[in-house]
Amino acid sequence: MPRGIFAADEKIRSGATDPRQAFEPCGMVELAKNFYSLGRISGLTKYADRAEDVMLNHFAASFTPDYKQVHYLTSSNGPILSNYTYAATNNGSRSHDRSYQIMTPNNRCCGYNTGMGWPWYVMNLWQKTADGGLAVFLYAPCQVDTTVKDNKIRWTVRTDYPFKDSVYMEAGFDGELSMRFRIPAWCRNCLCTINGETVWNSTQSGGWLRIHRDWKKGDVIRLTFSMELSLTKWRGNGS
């Protein structure tokens, strides 16, 4: 399906091969959790790309802005949510058709399991690396306090990503440390500056940018990801 989601029964549903197919928000949460684990095991940035794709594009659209109602089935080309009660034959029974109401007896698993979506996302923003460093797996405003090789490390992240193209990270420690920053697969040009000085300017898409240096408290890293429109054709029928 769009956003890289699969429902596991496409092969037995006639015609279920186009962008109209929808998905449950709890399934999105569970799929993203798999990507966090695969990213930790493999170190491959493609799993962060996939988790970001599902959570920031699809999962966010499955709720009302106040997060008080969930849309049981969300499709990529369905921009309007409705509380219309559909025919009983569409979804088993009329009670289940009220599953858009979050935290009711009739919303199956979504109202409960989706509560783990954003906490899991936040818990996987940063990772420790095998060489004794840190990796920024996903980008979001946060403060990280951890210990690496008995050194206390603090990073403060400021950003409006994915709505803006820049991420700012300020060091709250002194010491040598290896850092890895994920370059999103969709990015066609990545610019990195430290204290205003350019240290990286590349057209590399995906993978890691590694910087090993003696950091000083107050050092500021700025990552800027070029944002360009792109077109994806759905392989099922060319949509």
Side-chain angles (χ1 to χ4, degrees):
M1 297 181 187
R3 309 262 62 88
I5 290 172
F6 59 92
D9 62 348
E10 292 90 343
K11 294 295 186 182
I12 60 173
R13 283 187 296 143
S14 177
T17 58
D18 63 47
R20 292 174 296 177
Q21 305 310 309
F23 203 70
E24 301 176 37
C26 57
M28 303 173 197
V29 171
E30 293 157 357
L31 185 62
K33 187 181 181 182
N34 287 322
F35 294 146
Y36 306 143
S37 297
L38 289 166
R40 286 196 297 271
I41 293 169
S42 68
L44 297 176
T45 58
K46 68 179 181 180
Y47 294 115
D49 291 325
R50 291 175 181 176
E52 179 182 273
D53 201 14
V54 170
M55 293 299 292
L56 300 187
N57 290 284
H58 207 110
F59 181 70
S62 66
F63 284 85
T64 55
D66 61 9
Y67 212 70
K68 290 182 179 180
Q69 288 184 313
V70 60
H71 198 228
Y72 176 57
L73 292 172
T74 304
S75 59
S76 292
N77 62 345
I80 297 176
L81 301 187
S82 166
N83 64 357
Y84 174 73
T85 300
Y86 297 93
T89 54
N90 286 356
N91 198 16
S93 71
R94 287 193 179 276
S95 65
H96 282 164
D97 283 331
R98 293 198 296 272
S99 59
Y100 62 85
Q101 299 173 336
I102 193 168
M103 295 303 182
T104 72
N106 303 311
N107 68 352
R108 302 179 183 176
C109 60
C110 283
Y112 305 93
N113 290 341
T114 51
M116 297 179 282
W118 293 123
W120 277 341
Y121 190 88
V122 171
M123 289 168 62
N124 286 276
L125 298 176
W126 289 61
Q127 308 287 354
K128 288 186 176 180
T129 61
D131 63 355
L134 291 176
V136 189
F137 194 64
L138 298 162
Y139 295 103
C142 63
Q143 179 174 296
V144 178
D145 291 281
T146 188
T147 302
V148 178
K149 296 181 178 178
D150 297 326
N151 295 324
K152 291 184 178 179
I153 306 296
R154 169 175 288 183
W155 286 99
T156 302
V157 182
R158 295 179 292 108
T159 183
D160 288 323
Y161 180 94
F163 304 104
K164 298 291 181 65
D165 62 1
S166 293
V167 180
Y168 298 85
M169 287 168 276
E170 182 175 347
F173 68 99
D174 296 316
E176 189 175 355
L177 182 67
S178 175
M179 293 289 298
R180 283 178 170 81
F181 307 95
R182 173 181 141 256
I183 302 175
W186 52 260
C187 177
R188 297 295 174 263
N189 183 265
C190 175
L191 173 66
C192 177
T193 66
I194 298 179
N195 301 329
E197 180 181 345
T198 299
V199 297
W200 173 269
N201 190 357
S202 174
T203 57
Q204 173 184 330
S205 295
W208 298 102
L209 162 60
R210 181 179 182 272
I211 298 178
H212 183 96
R213 62 178 278 153
D214 189 12
W215 302 94
K216 302 298 181 184
K217 188 174 182 178
D219 283 348
V220 175
I221 304 168
R222 178 183 179 181
L223 291 171
T224 303
F225 306 117
S226 65
M227 291 185 167
E228 302 173 8
L229 292 175
S230 61
L231 177 67
T232 301
K233 286 190 176 183
W234 183 236
R235 62 180 179 272
N237 61 5
S239 296

